Amino acid sequence: MLRMKITVCREAHFNSAHRLHNPNWDEERNKTIFGKCNNPNYHGHNYDLIVKVTGDIDEETGYVMDTKVLKDLIEERVIECFDHKNLNLDTEEFKNLNPTAENIAKIIYEKLRGGIQKDLALRITLYETRRNYVEYGE
Amino acid sequence: MLRMKITVCREAHFNSAHRLHNPNWDEERNKTIFGKCNNPNYHGHNYDLIVKVTGDIDEETGYVMDTKVLKDLIEERVIECFDHKNLNLDTEEFKNLNPTAENIAKIIYEKLRGGIQKDLALRITLYETRRNYVEYGE
Amino acid sequence: MLRMKITVCREAHFNSAHRLHNPNWDEERNKTIFGKCNNPNYHGHNYDLIVKVTGDIDEETGYVMDTKVLKDLIEERVIECFDHKNLNLDTEEFKNLNPTAENIAKIIYEKLRGGIQKDLALRITLYETRRNYVEYGE
Amino acid sequence: MLRMKITVCREAHFNSAHRLHNPNWDEERNKTIFGKCNNPNYHGHNYDLIVKVTGDIDEETGYVMDTKVLKDLIEERVIECFDHKNLNLDTEEFKNLNPTAENIAKIIYEKLRGGIQKDLALRITLYETRRNYVEYGE
Amino acid sequence: MLRMKITVCREAHFNSAHRLHNPNWDEERNKTIFGKCNNPNYHGHNYDLIVKVTGDIDEETGYVMDTKVLKDLIEERVIECFDHKNLNLDTEEFKNLNPTAENIAKIIYEKLRGGIQKDLALRITLYETRRNYVEYGE
Amino acid sequence: MLRMKITVCREAHFNSAHRLHNPNWDEERNKTIFGKCNNPNYHGHNYDLIVKVTGDIDEETGYVMDTKVLKDLIEERVIECFDHKNLNLDTEEFKNLNPTAENIAKIIYEKLRGGIQKDLALRITLYETRRNYVEYGE
């Protein structure tokens, strides 16, 4: 039988304020494109994050990657930076980058990629609300 | 058989920024009590709201209260006021009231109570996160 | 310590077609009150049902009521009657009763009440959609 | 770094009646194959729909596709056609096509495909019940 | 306006092995009553626990009870004792008490009651599976 | 139009006890790697299983595969073997294989593969908890 890859998935959560805004546009264009998400006083979300790591099963442990290790990595590199923060004001990453769900997922991917073995694939799912979410990665 | 009351429940959602803060306390005491919820730049939540109305079934309609009417009332009196808003900065209700889940639930109760017939009981459930929620009302 | 009652809850599901209609009203009034729920060709729902039974814990079994017995009772008296049925056309109960969520919950209560010991309280929760549900019983 | 695609996902809901039936078969064969789903008086479901659109992030907006635009497209092309309808009787699409979850997903794909830019991939997930669902698309 | 009580609710989780068994009964009666839950080698569950505390809102904090304090209390008195344990073998509480959902809820109530102010009411909801759960308390 | 494959998905559940352990390691190494999952008296989970089958839609039935057939296959080959069992003690498959989520998913894949037509792809998703899950298959 062909040796298929297996994926382990770990869910985490953070609660942040943000606003969508492009500083190169005037106020009117920002309002037209981003609507109520452009509110200058910010609004917020409970972000649900799923991190997926794909590779081979280690024969000694039966693990692709120890999910306790993955949980701690997510905690340290993502939750501590973004939880109970204002993404636009309190983080370096979104000082000059619009914190859309797409861009947040991409930044989370980049923050985690270095902490995971190179031969493992990484994929991010980020729920902004129960009805809106994005997927990014290998 | 005894005539028992029946309850109709309607769920709605809004996304807001807030911070917990007591202006009568100094900064240190605010940090001790409210922790990271005291972040001066705000954080945010997807609030899940359940509104419960209890009364008798109307024999002609088979309804306690038309849930379309209830949905519109929630939309008009709660969602339009709080969705994509900063509760501390953008609303009258929380200018001088700490926007804890408890106080938000109480305010929502008061905003809806006048729009619902007096002989119907009203009860509010408000989820701040999947793991933290409050219940208030008759 | 005071002897408090305990409640056991069992969830079940059924999928049915229905329409809301009052035969004593003309077509226009039916449309005004029931809107798209009045569609003469029917629409349908996945109903999620929660049955709650409250009483004392039996010291020998550690049960209020065996949930396998409760599961079979729900299966036999509710699911077999309503699942994959048209409530208006295929059931006796709604030949002359408007199948609103309120009335369906009441009928389910009556169908189950006789199968459960008199000293146990019975309460029904019925979800018509994730956002609309009703509660009925002791 | 390699430029990876990103996917935005939007959930929507509709409630419909349907029956499974192949007009080229006799009644007995229909009953054998489709069981209680063949009930001539119809049954129904709350369909949960997830629409996934994959492409590059637009640098100006930070979006792959504005989810408000996606939401309106789903509303107009899917929800207005199927919600509170009898799929077999009230829609053109299923007059001569058996409304299995597979076929409904395929039709939804076709109805949406024309409204979405050609360089964006489209994928449909359709839940018929919490336990049964299908996936279709690029 | 009448001063209504408010309820704060906190969710937690633990994963345990258990078996249902009455040592005063012979093997056959245990099998008849408890079925596959009587398996001598144990089976297990992800228990979802909701703790509800009811009282007045403190005017200074806007809290009924600080949910961080409640979270730590649940962690210390329940999760550390039951998580990743065999309830029958690894805990004092169920050495001589059948670990039905009813009895587990009652024990959790008793373990938490002493850590919560006397003027606050306490209520426990315990999910053994998504479809089976119990409620206990004031 | 290109003929795309479609995937049907079916969810099922089982409740089992297990422990993680490598018999080639000493006790200390087992504790270091597997932590509280190494508890010699076992702990347990509600496993949520999603089975995905991908292929073409049969023109006569409108099905990829009859989900009733898939449901029965899962029931017979997986649920009857693992539900209310101790995976380490009561099953042949995990006598000499560590029952991590990864290995359980792989075994479920192998148990189902023979019962599904060769031209259909098979993929397994297995939730150990709401926050930890794995994916395996074609």
Side-chain angles (χ1 to χ4, degrees):
Chain A
M1 202 189 63
L2 176 140
R3 191 180 179 131
M4 284 177 301
K5 300 287 181 183
I6 194 157
T7 300
V8 293
C9 310
R10 174 78 201 168
E11 195 183 339
H13 304 272
F14 58 95
N15 311 315
S16 313
H18 81 149
R19 76 179 292 215
L20 301 186
H21 185 74
N22 183 336
N24 302 321
W25 294 346
D26 62 15
E27 213 178 302
E28 203 191 312
R29 182 151 170 72
N30 269 296
K31 279 220 165 151
T32 307
I33 299 296
F34 295 124
K36 55 188 182 173
C37 298
N38 185 238
N39 177 5
N41 286 329
Y42 312 99
H43 64 285
H45 294 292
N46 301 341
Y47 290 94
D48 293 334
L49 168 67
I50 300 172
V51 177
K52 302 186 173 192
V53 174
T54 301
D56 294 318
I57 301 183
D58 178 287
E59 293 205 359
E60 277 202 302
T61 58
Y63 285 160
V64 169
M65 179 182 177
D66 187 337
T67 52
K68 288 188 301 296
V69 173
L70 183 56
K71 180 192 173 184
D72 291 346
L73 189 80
I74 298 168
E75 185 67 32
E76 183 191 300
R77 298 199 177 192
V78 180
I79 308 306
E80 280 183 24
C81 303
F82 294 163
D83 188 34
H84 283 73
K85 296 287 169 58
N86 182 310
L87 297 178
N88 305 68
L89 299 180
D90 296 329
T91 75
E92 277 310 308
E93 291 86 351
F94 300 105
K95 282 259 154 64
N96 301 300
L97 181 66
N98 203 6
T100 59
E102 287 90 330
N103 280 332
I104 303 173
K106 220 175 141 209
I107 290 292
I108 290 173
Y109 173 90
E110 287 162 16
K111 290 171 83 77
L112 291 174
R113 185 60 274 190
I116 289 167
Q117 282 173 232
K118 290 218 175 103
D119 58 332
L120 299 175
L122 173 64
R123 193 164 171 81
I124 302 299
T125 303
L126 182 73
Y127 284 80
E128 194 172 77
T129 70
R130 215 192 289 174
R131 294 195 166 191
N132 284 316
Y133 62 101
V134 299
E135 299 172 342
Y136 182 72
E138 294 118 24
Chain B
M1 202 188 64
L2 176 141
R3 188 175 180 139
M4 285 178 300
K5 300 286 182 182
I6 195 157
T7 300
V8 293
C9 310
R10 174 77 201 169
E11 197 185 336
H13 304 271
F14 58 96
N15 311 315
S16 313
H18 82 149
R19 74 178 295 215
L20 301 187
H21 185 74
N22 182 336
N24 301 321
W25 294 346
D26 63 16
E27 212 178 302
E28 204 191 312
R29 183 150 169 72
N30 268 296
K31 276 220 165 149
T32 308
I33 299 296
F34 295 125
K36 55 188 182 175
C37 296
N38 185 239
N39 178 5
N41 286 329
Y42 311 98
H43 63 284
H45 294 292
N46 301 340
Y47 290 94
D48 292 336
L49 168 67
I50 302 172
V51 177
K52 301 184 174 192
V53 174
T54 301
D56 295 317
I57 301 182
D58 179 286
E59 293 206 0
E60 278 203 303
T61 58
Y63 285 161
V64 170
M65 178 181 176
D66 185 338
T67 53
K68 289 188 303 295
V69 173
L70 183 55
K71 179 190 174 185
D72 290 347
L73 190 79
I74 299 168
E75 186 66 34
E76 183 192 302
R77 297 201 178 190
V78 180
I79 308 308
E80 279 183 24
C81 303
F82 294 163
D83 188 34
H84 284 72
K85 295 287 167 61
N86 183 311
L87 297 178
N88 306 67
L89 299 180
D90 295 330
T91 73
E92 278 311 307
E93 292 85 351
F94 300 105
K95 281 257 153 67
N96 300 300
L97 180 68
N98 203 6
T100 58
E102 287 92 329
N103 280 333
I104 303 173
K106 223 176 137 206
I107 290 293
I108 290 174
Y109 173 89
E110 288 163 15
K111 290 172 82 77
L112 291 175
R113 185 60 274 189
I116 290 166
Q117 282 173 236
K118 288 217 174 105
D119 58 332
L120 299 175
L122 173 64
R123 194 163 170 82
I124 303 298
T125 303
L126 182 73
Y127 284 80
E128 193 172 82
T129 71
R130 215 192 288 176
R131 294 194 166 193
N132 283 315
Y133 63 101
V134 300
E135 298 172 343
Y136 182 72
E138 296 118 23
Chain C
M1 203 189 62
L2 177 140
R3 190 179 179 134
M4 285 177 301
K5 300 287 182 182
I6 195 157
T7 300
V8 293
C9 310
R10 173 78 201 169
E11 195 183 338
H13 304 271
F14 58 94
N15 312 316
S16 313
H18 80 149
R19 74 178 294 214
L20 301 186
H21 186 74
N22 182 336
N24 302 322
W25 294 345
D26 62 16
E27 212 177 304
E28 203 191 312
R29 183 149 171 73
N30 268 297
K31 278 220 165 151
T32 307
I33 299 296
F34 296 124
K36 55 187 181 175
C37 298
N38 184 239
N39 177 4
N41 285 331
Y42 310 98
H43 64 285
H45 295 292
N46 300 342
Y47 290 94
D48 292 336
L49 168 66
I50 301 173
V51 177
K52 303 185 173 192
V53 174
T54 300
D56 295 317
I57 301 183
D58 178 288
E59 293 205 1
E60 277 203 305
T61 58
Y63 285 160
V64 169
M65 178 181 177
D66 186 338
T67 52
K68 291 187 301 296
V69 173
L70 183 55
K71 181 191 173 185
D72 291 346
L73 190 79
I74 298 168
E75 185 66 33
E76 184 191 301
R77 296 199 178 190
V78 180
I79 308 307
E80 280 183 24
C81 303
F82 294 162
D83 188 35
H84 283 73
K85 295 287 168 59
N86 183 311
L87 297 179
N88 306 66
L89 299 180
D90 295 330
T91 74
E92 277 311 309
E93 291 86 352
F94 299 105
K95 283 258 154 65
N96 300 301
L97 181 67
N98 202 7
T100 58
E102 287 91 330
N103 281 333
I104 303 174
K106 220 175 140 208
I107 290 293
I108 290 174
Y109 173 89
E110 287 163 16
K111 291 173 82 78
L112 291 175
R113 186 60 273 190
I116 289 167
Q117 283 173 231
K118 287 215 175 109
D119 58 333
L120 299 175
L122 173 64
R123 194 162 170 83
I124 302 299
T125 304
L126 182 73
Y127 284 80
E128 194 172 79
T129 71
R130 217 192 288 175
R131 295 196 164 191
N132 283 316
Y133 63 101
V134 300
E135 298 173 343
Y136 182 73
E138 294 120 23
Chain D
M1 203 189 63
L2 176 142
R3 188 176 181 136
M4 286 178 301
K5 299 288 182 182
I6 195 158
T7 301
V8 294
C9 310
R10 173 78 201 169
E11 196 184 336
H13 305 273
F14 57 95
N15 312 316
S16 313
H18 81 150
R19 75 177 294 214
L20 301 186
H21 186 74
N22 182 335
N24 302 321
W25 294 346
D26 63 16
E27 213 178 302
E28 203 190 313
R29 183 151 169 72
N30 269 297
K31 278 220 165 150
T32 306
I33 298 297
F34 296 123
K36 54 188 182 174
C37 297
N38 184 239
N39 177 4
N41 285 330
Y42 312 98
H43 62 286
H45 294 292
N46 301 340
Y47 290 94
D48 292 336
L49 168 67
I50 301 172
V51 177
K52 302 185 173 192
V53 174
T54 300
D56 295 317
I57 301 182
D58 179 287
E59 294 205 359
E60 278 203 303
T61 58
Y63 285 161
V64 170
M65 178 180 177
D66 186 339
T67 52
K68 290 187 301 294
V69 173
L70 182 56
K71 180 191 173 184
D72 290 347
L73 190 79
I74 298 169
E75 185 66 33
E76 183 192 302
R77 297 200 178 191
V78 180
I79 308 307
E80 279 183 25
C81 304
F82 293 164
D83 189 34
H84 283 72
K85 295 287 169 61
N86 183 310
L87 297 178
N88 305 68
L89 299 181
D90 296 329
T91 74
E92 277 310 308
E93 291 86 350
F94 300 106
K95 282 258 154 67
N96 300 300
L97 181 67
N98 203 8
T100 59
E102 287 91 329
N103 280 333
I104 302 173
K106 223 177 138 206
I107 290 292
I108 290 173
Y109 173 89
E110 287 163 16
K111 290 172 82 78
L112 292 175
R113 185 60 273 188
I116 289 166
Q117 283 174 233
K118 288 219 173 105
D119 58 333
L120 299 174
L122 174 64
R123 193 163 170 82
I124 302 299
T125 303
L126 183 73
Y127 284 79
E128 194 172 79
T129 71
R130 215 192 288 175
R131 294 195 165 190
N132 283 317
Y133 62 100
V134 299
E135 299 172 342
Y136 182 73
E138 295 119 22
Chain E
M1 203 188 65
L2 176 140
R3 190 179 178 134
M4 284 177 302
K5 300 286 181 182
I6 194 157
T7 300
V8 293
C9 310
R10 174 78 201 169
E11 196 185 337
H13 304 272
F14 58 95
N15 311 316
S16 313
H18 81 149
R19 74 177 294 216
L20 301 186
H21 185 74
N22 183 337
N24 302 320
W25 292 346
D26 63 15
E27 213 178 300
E28 203 191 311
R29 182 151 170 72
N30 268 296
K31 278 221 165 151
T32 307
I33 299 296
F34 296 124
K36 55 189 182 173
C37 298
N38 185 239
N39 176 6
N41 286 330
Y42 311 98
H43 63 285
H45 294 292
N46 301 341
Y47 290 94
D48 292 336
L49 169 66
I50 301 172
V51 177
K52 303 186 173 191
V53 174
T54 301
D56 295 318
I57 301 183
D58 179 287
E59 293 206 359
E60 278 204 301
T61 59
Y63 284 162
V64 169
M65 178 182 176
D66 186 338
T67 53
K68 289 187 302 296
V69 173
L70 182 56
K71 180 191 173 184
D72 291 346
L73 190 81
I74 299 168
E75 185 67 33
E76 184 191 300
R77 298 199 177 190
V78 180
I79 308 307
E80 280 183 23
C81 303
F82 293 163
D83 188 34
H84 283 73
K85 295 287 169 58
N86 182 310
L87 296 178
N88 305 67
L89 299 179
D90 295 330
T91 74
E92 278 311 306
E93 291 85 352
F94 300 104
K95 282 258 153 66
N96 300 299
L97 181 67
N98 203 7
T100 58
E102 286 92 329
N103 281 332
I104 303 173
K106 221 175 140 208
I107 290 292
I108 290 173
Y109 173 89
E110 288 162 15
K111 290 172 83 79
L112 291 175
R113 185 62 272 190
I116 289 166
Q117 282 172 235
K118 288 219 174 102
D119 58 332
L120 299 175
L122 174 64
R123 193 164 170 81
I124 302 299
T125 303
L126 183 73
Y127 285 80
E128 195 172 80
T129 71
R130 215 192 288 176
R131 293 196 166 192
N132 283 315
Y133 63 101
V134 299
E135 298 172 342
Y136 182 72
E138 295 120 23
Chain F
M1 203 189 62
L2 176 139
R3 189 178 180 134
M4 286 178 301
K5 300 287 182 181
I6 195 157
T7 300
V8 292
C9 309
R10 173 78 201 169
E11 196 184 338
H13 305 271
F14 58 96
N15 311 317
S16 312
H18 81 149
R19 73 178 293 215
L20 301 186
H21 186 74
N22 182 336
N24 301 322
W25 294 346
D26 63 16
E27 212 178 304
E28 204 190 312
R29 184 153 169 69
N30 268 295
K31 276 221 166 152
T32 307
I33 299 298
F34 295 124
K36 55 188 183 175
C37 297
N38 184 239
N39 177 5
N41 286 329
Y42 311 97
H43 63 285
H45 294 292
N46 302 340
Y47 290 94
D48 292 336
L49 169 67
I50 301 171
V51 177
K52 302 185 175 192
V53 174
T54 300
D56 295 318
I57 301 183
D58 179 287
E59 293 206 359
E60 277 203 303
T61 59
Y63 285 160
V64 170
M65 179 182 176
D66 185 338
T67 53
K68 288 187 302 295
V69 173
L70 182 56
K71 180 191 175 186
D72 291 347
L73 190 79
I74 298 169
E75 185 66 33
E76 183 191 303
R77 297 200 178 191
V78 180
I79 307 308
E80 280 183 22
C81 303
F82 294 163
D83 187 36
H84 283 73
K85 295 287 169 62
N86 183 309
L87 297 178
N88 305 67
L89 299 181
D90 296 330
T91 73
E92 277 312 307
E93 291 86 351
F94 300 104
K95 282 259 154 64
N96 301 299
L97 181 67
N98 202 8
T100 58
E102 288 91 330
N103 281 332
I104 303 173
K106 221 175 139 207
I107 290 292
I108 290 173
Y109 173 90
E110 288 163 15
K111 289 172 84 78
L112 291 175
R113 185 61 273 189
I116 289 166
Q117 282 172 235
K118 288 217 173 105
D119 58 332
L120 299 175
L122 173 64
R123 193 163 171 82
I124 302 299
T125 303
L126 182 73
Y127 284 80
E128 193 172 80
T129 71
R130 217 192 287 175
R131 293 194 167 193
N132 283 316
Y133 62 100
V134 299
E135 298 173 342
Y136 182 73
E138 294 118 24

